[in-house]
Amino acid sequence: ITFINLVVFKSDFLRPINTLTFGLINETLIVNIFSLILFVFIIMLKYGRLNFIDIGIKKNRLLGAIVAILILWISMQLFNILAALIITGKPIVYNGWSKYGAMKMFGSFIAQLFGNCLFEELAFRGFLLIQICKKFRNTKGNLFAGIAVSQLLFALIHIPNRILGGMSVLQIVPSLIIVFMLGVIFAVVYLVTDNIFLTIGIHALWNTPLLVFDGLSSIYVILAATIILVKFWDKTFAKIGWESSSQLNRMNRGQFDE
């Protein structure tokens, strides 16, 4: 991961692909697909002898996640329309579409959904979080420790791209604290819903909201909507695809997906 951040991105040798596809296929997507192949498919699945269920991939979870993420995205647009109407009296179209173009906008979201967020959620929530929690077993204190350790590692892997971005130490530290807190949020979402596809979608919208309308900060809207989703998950989207009990419930019983 450090090599990818400090060598591949810095060299710009993948930029021609970005240019030829008008931003639809960018460097982030390409390097994260490479990471998925190397770390997930080769190291975890082949040599680690794990299966897809061991890293959270359960096909009966997909439909519920798609419906939930679509509703979340629509809610973001409606919240922004309402906020803009209250503040300015009219909806405000997000200027990113005219500034960057549709291809780059969609390319950025695709890179997050099928690249960066897919890799990070499978690696740090689907795999690492559960494996560490297994080691700590099922007491609440150890569960919190498992979340803290796994998400600390998640935060630390972001150091190289902070360095690449020219950030100072005083800038990197608070940035990593925010990343750690986000990791904890994603971990709790996964543990409560047992739906890795949902965390991938929320993570992708967090990184690249793909807004149509501007208004409120997307961070607050996504955070509020995520809390509501998790609160009512069992009574709503969990019923789509006949999902079983959450990872958190199984941990409390000392059980894990094998």
Side-chain angles (χ1 to χ4, degrees):
I1 295 173
T2 301
F3 171 80
I4 290 171
N5 280 285
L6 296 182
V7 177
V8 176
F9 275 113
K10 194 172 182 178
S11 67
D12 284 338
F13 80 90
L14 293 174
R15 187 168 296 277
I17 298 176
N18 190 330
T19 303
L20 288 172
T21 60
F22 301 98
L24 189 63
I25 300 175
N26 60 32
E27 296 92 331
T28 299
L29 177 62
I30 296 170
V31 297
N32 278 284
I33 287 177
F34 171 78
S35 297
L36 277 166
I37 293 171
L38 177 59
F39 293 105
V40 175
F41 290 97
I42 296 178
I43 295 177
M44 294 180 192
L45 297 180
K46 183 176 180 179
Y47 291 103
R49 296 184 179 179
L50 300 176
N51 56 47
F52 286 111
I53 292 178
D54 292 323
I55 57 174
I57 300 177
K58 304 164 189 176
K59 62 181 180 181
N60 65 332
R61 307 302 201 260
L62 181 59
L63 182 58
I66 291 174
V67 174
I69 292 302
L70 282 174
I71 292 177
L72 175 58
W73 181 81
I74 292 171
S75 299
M76 291 167 57
Q77 315 311 314
L78 294 177
F79 271 117
N80 279 341
I81 290 173
L82 180 60
L85 286 174
I86 294 173
I87 297 171
T88 68
K90 61 180 181 179
I92 302 173
V93 176
Y94 180 62
N95 65 1
W97 298 94
S98 58
K99 183 177 180 180
Y100 303 109
M103 294 289 276
K104 284 189 176 180
M105 289 287 289
F106 283 116
S108 295
F109 183 72
I110 290 170
Q112 292 299 319
L113 187 63
F114 297 106
N116 180 56
C117 299
L118 177 59
F119 168 67
E120 290 185 348
E121 292 307 317
L122 290 178
F124 290 95
R125 260 66 71 179
F127 172 72
L128 190 62
L129 170 64
I130 301 303
Q131 296 302 317
I132 293 178
C133 284
K134 282 183 180 182
K135 297 296 183 183
F136 283 129
R137 289 303 172 187
N138 61 337
T139 64
K140 288 185 178 180
N142 286 342
L143 175 61
F144 293 146
I147 294 173
V149 171
S150 60
Q151 302 322 303
L152 176 62
L153 293 173
F154 170 66
L156 292 176
I157 68 154
H158 289 79
I159 291 177
N161 61 16
R162 268 54 179 175
I163 296 174
L164 182 62
M167 296 176 67
S168 66
V169 174
L170 293 179
Q171 293 172 317
I172 290 175
V173 172
S175 173
L176 294 183
I177 292 174
I178 293 173
V179 173
F180 171 78
M181 294 172 63
L182 286 175
V184 171
I185 292 173
F186 297 144
V188 171
V189 170
Y190 178 54
L191 290 174
V192 171
T193 65
D194 190 25
N195 194 316
I196 198 69
F197 302 113
L198 178 67
T199 62
I200 292 168
I202 292 174
H203 193 164
L205 284 179
W206 194 287
N207 287 0
T208 309
L210 203 65
L211 295 174
V212 176
F213 297 97
D214 212 344
L216 294 175
S217 171
S218 60
I219 294 176
Y220 300 117
V221 176
I222 294 174
L223 182 59
T226 299
I227 293 172
I228 295 172
L229 272 177
V230 172
K231 176 68 176 178
F232 296 101
W233 181 260
D234 284 340
K235 297 179 180 179
T236 54
F237 303 103
K239 297 181 181 299
I240 302 174
W242 299 98
E243 297 193 11
S244 59
S245 60
S246 69
Q247 284 279 14
L248 191 58
N249 287 337
R250 283 194 285 278
M251 287 180 189
N252 289 333
R253 298 194 300 265
Q255 300 172 346
F256 293 86
D257 287 321
E258 300 294 345

